[in-house]
Amino acid sequence: MTQLDIPPQAGRARPRYEDLVQPARVHGSLYTRPDIFADELERIWYRTWVYVGHVSEVARPNDYVRKNIGPQDVIMTRAKDGQVHLLLNRCAHRGNLVCEADAGNSSSFRCPYHGWTFRNDGDLLGYPFSQGYGGRGQLTEGLSHVARVAVHQGFVFGSMAADGPTLAEHLGPAADEIDRLVRLSPEGEVEITAGFLKHRTRANWKLLAENETDGYHPQFVHSSIFTVAESGIGTLYGETSTAVTRALGNGHSENDLRPEFRRLGQPLGWFGTTESKVPDYVAAMRRVHGDAAEDILIEGAPHVMVFPNLFIAEIQLFTLQPLAADLSVQHVTAIQLKGAPEMNTRMLQQSIGSVGPAGLLLADDTEMYERNQVGLGELRPEWLDLRRGLHRERRDERGLTIGDATDETGMRGFWAHYRQLMTEGGSR
Amino acid sequence: MTTAEAVDVRRLEQFLYREARLADEHQFEAWEALWTDDGLYWVPAGADDIDPMTQMSVIYDNRRRISTRIAQLQTGRRYAQVPSSRLRRTVSNVEVLAVDGAETTVQANFVLVESRERGKEVWAGRYTYRLRLVDGELRMAYKKVALVDNARVLPTLAFLI
């Protein structure tokens, strides 16, 4: 056998990410090596802004819900004063879980092991038999906070690094896509209240993140459902589609389907329905937005992947949770638009049909992720190809890189940012 | 005499076993033919008794979507089931809960082993059926599958459960 470019488990040396991530190809070991996964946790998941949850999941004071940042078990709480906190689910005493329930309402968490009690803003309230510590008020160790918490349009992000870019800097133009989503609610707010499906995926998280704005695969992976059900999705990702794939910077990307929806020119065409089916919603939107309602209703919802773990697929919200180099969980729910009950029922029922373990779409995507992971165990060819559409890439009016509907522009943007994060401060 | 004793339990059981075998063996047309025209096939998520009109389910198929699901499987390109999972399930603890006119509500436990190239999965839970006589034949108007792990992370479920 001739020499491989990068031998498997290359010695004990730290991987050189400059070599593994190249402009038009990436190395297979990035998806399979446990040491690389450990590096990613440290350099990406425990550093950059990660989407954790939505304020509507803790709507009332003292509500809490268990969330995650990769393998980290995070409790999202709303304190009595309305402030949202992200707390690590680990007792300050001996590390037991302080919260077992998935969600609830409580002003405090009591560790079952030795009875230490913490307020839902993380502060230590008390510890039994206090004389063993010299009396009450001697200890101050609370629950650990995710270092930084920031909210955009109700979307709560956390960064485990005390310093770094602000959320606004991290999101950049991806924030506009979130804004575009919430604008579809007559009240300008989305609600995440429909509960999550949790779909186990025996594959590396990056395969999922890359696929979210891959406009090349739908015609093949989803051809079965396009054959048997009326779906406009197929043509959006055809070779002649006028939609574009856009790298939004900082690893974010989108399939901008608006050119196709504008061509269709029909309010709610993006959702496969018509005004007459949801008259109250359309009336409410016209009341709020006046003449601008027409464009909003024609252009529809975004299809955007926010690095590293938030995917808004028009009417669904996905979060990606990496657990090991070859294990991830997709959490998915139907987005609900505040003040739009007619839309919400439809968004929920469409989502149930499409996503999750039995989804007519997502079960097949997940099958691809898992086969991909197995395939990547083979040693050759070493590289994954990222060239699609490189020759026709161009800049839009905002200076962002765009490609055709089926081009790998989004993936290239993802990897450029990945490489930057993994090499910041130099390779070790 | 309770109403439950008035129905032919053996006949109901035979129906459940047949339905299980057709699903295990991917006999899609025969399985679909067991449904009434208003059939509802439901696998709740998060808990057994959620409101399917406001909460996500794993499956909440009306009759039309049952047909779509079957038609998709029959294309040979439903990749999550290409190749098909090898399946066998045991159905037991059959209880007749209610008889309401022509409709009988039956519950049963099940344990199902799924074998695929990437491993083996064990699925378990409780079925609730509403069975109805249509032209002298038993038909399913409702099948609910309350998975024991419906609040946890689930693998792909692209076969008929």
Side-chain angles (χ1 to χ4, degrees), chain B residues 26 41 81 85 87 89 112 114 123 156-161:
Chain B
H26 312 289
Y41 175 37
Q81 275 296 301
S85 299
L87 303 172
R89 76 194 76 185
L112 185 167
E114 177 195 17
W123 301 84
T156 293
L157 173 56
F159 59 86
L160 301 172
I161 190 156

Side-chain angles (χ1 to χ4, degrees), chain A residues 298-313:
Chain A
I298 286 173
E299 291 175 354
H303 187 105
V304 60
M305 176 68 213
V306 179
F307 187 95
N309 75 324
L310 170 64
F311 174 40
I312 297 167

Side-chain angles (χ1 to χ4, degrees), chain A residues 181 184-185 190-191 194 268 270-271 278 281 301 313-317 333-338 340-355, chain B residues 53 56 65:
Chain A
L181 173 72
L184 284 167
S185 150
V190 299
E191 295 183 310
L268 293 160
W270 66 274
F271 187 46
V278 286
Y281 170 66
E314 288 90 0
I315 62 169
Q316 289 112 23
L317 180 148
T333 190
I335 293 167
Q336 302 282 271
L337 303 173
K338 196 169 183 189
E342 286 170 333
M343 287 292 284
N344 288 341
T345 314
R346 289 164 179 271
M347 288 165 78
L348 177 74
Q349 295 306 329
Q350 269 197 28
S351 297
I352 293 170
S354 306
V355 303
Chain B
M53 301 316 285
M56 290 292 285
R65 196 175 276 166

